[in-house]
Amino acid sequence: MMLSMPDVKHFDEAAALAAVEQLFWRRGSAATGIQDVVAATGLSRSSLYNAFGGKDALYAAAARRYLEHRSRPMFDQLAADGRGLAAVRTFFDKLLRLRLSGEYAGWGCMMANANTESPPDAVRAVLSEHHAVLRDSFVAALTVAQSNDELRSGVEVAGAAEMLTLLAYAINLRSRAGATRAQLKAAVVAALAALAA
């Protein structure tokens, strides 16, 4: 007698996770139920749970994907730029473009958005990593600026990098709330003017 194997549904986990990432990014965790995830992916609850675990694990996986695919390439580019303050200006110009135009305009940053909620521990770990990588990228750019005598006397690189990191988060949040490019750009110009020699 032949034993039949249970019906196993195969699907593209990477594509499903990309859809989930966009769902959590646009709506946040609190406003996203598992039924929303089912609708966005076309997968059953059991398939989702078997592949990713519960909602918190799915949210953490989506946050990790966002960090690796969207944030880290931008941060790495900033860290490797080698132009000092010009690299920082370029970073903020690109951030403003991403937040205010194109397909994801008005969505803000998934990581900044997650900071406004009460994320599970696994997501908090991703948020901490995101913050650290961005801050360290600013440290790299500001260290170059300092060695080129672009920074005013007394500027402390680590503190300035933390300030710019917080400015990036603020831009992400305010762009989601409808702030204009002129408003956000004015903050960037003021912050860099405070640092420049």
Side-chain angles (χ1 to χ4, degrees):
M1 179 175 175
M2 286 185 68
L3 295 174
S4 63
M5 295 295 289
D7 184 24
V8 177
K9 302 289 185 200
H10 294 284
F11 63 92
D12 184 341
E13 285 190 20
L17 190 56
V20 172
E21 173 204 12
Q22 291 197 15
L23 185 64
F24 281 122
W25 179 10
R26 189 175 71 250
R27 299 185 58 184
S29 175
T32 302
I34 200 66
Q35 192 54 46
D36 298 312
V37 177
V38 168
T41 60
L43 302 174
S44 68
R45 286 174 183 251
S46 61
S47 292
L48 287 167
Y49 285 133
N50 287 337
F52 301 107
K55 179 183 168 183
D56 285 355
L58 195 54
Y59 186 25
R64 169 64 56 191
R65 185 186 192 284
Y66 185 96
L67 170 61
E68 298 301 336
H69 290 260
R70 298 186 188 275
S71 300
R72 195 179 290 276
M74 231 177 119
F75 300 169
D76 289 349
Q77 186 175 25
L78 169 62
D81 188 298
R83 293 181 298 137
L85 286 181
V88 175
R89 284 188 199 93
T90 298
F91 172 86
F92 279 110
D93 285 346
K94 183 174 182 181
L95 184 64
L96 291 173
R97 277 197 313 275
L98 287 170
R99 296 298 168 245
L100 299 171
S101 62
E103 183 180 358
Y104 307 112
W107 289 24
C109 163
M110 184 180 177
M111 301 291 98
N113 299 345
N115 274 289
T116 68
E117 297 187 306
S118 209
D121 288 344
V123 175
R124 285 177 192 269
V126 179
L127 297 181
S128 293
E129 184 178 347
H130 182 273
H131 185 99
V133 175
L134 177 54
R135 183 196 59 228
D136 291 349
S137 297
F138 279 127
V139 166
L142 291 175
T143 299
V144 171
Q146 191 172 58
S147 69
N148 292 341
D149 295 323
E150 294 181 85
L151 301 184
R152 68 172 174 77
S153 177
V155 169
E156 195 262 316
V157 166
E162 186 69 28
M163 177 191 72
L164 293 176
T165 301
L166 296 177
L167 176 59
Y169 282 112
I171 286 171
N172 287 323
L173 291 174
R174 290 293 298 136
S175 68
R176 188 175 171 90
T180 66
R181 177 180 172 80
Q183 290 170 326
L184 300 174
K185 180 71 172 177
V188 173
V189 169
L192 294 183
L195 298 177

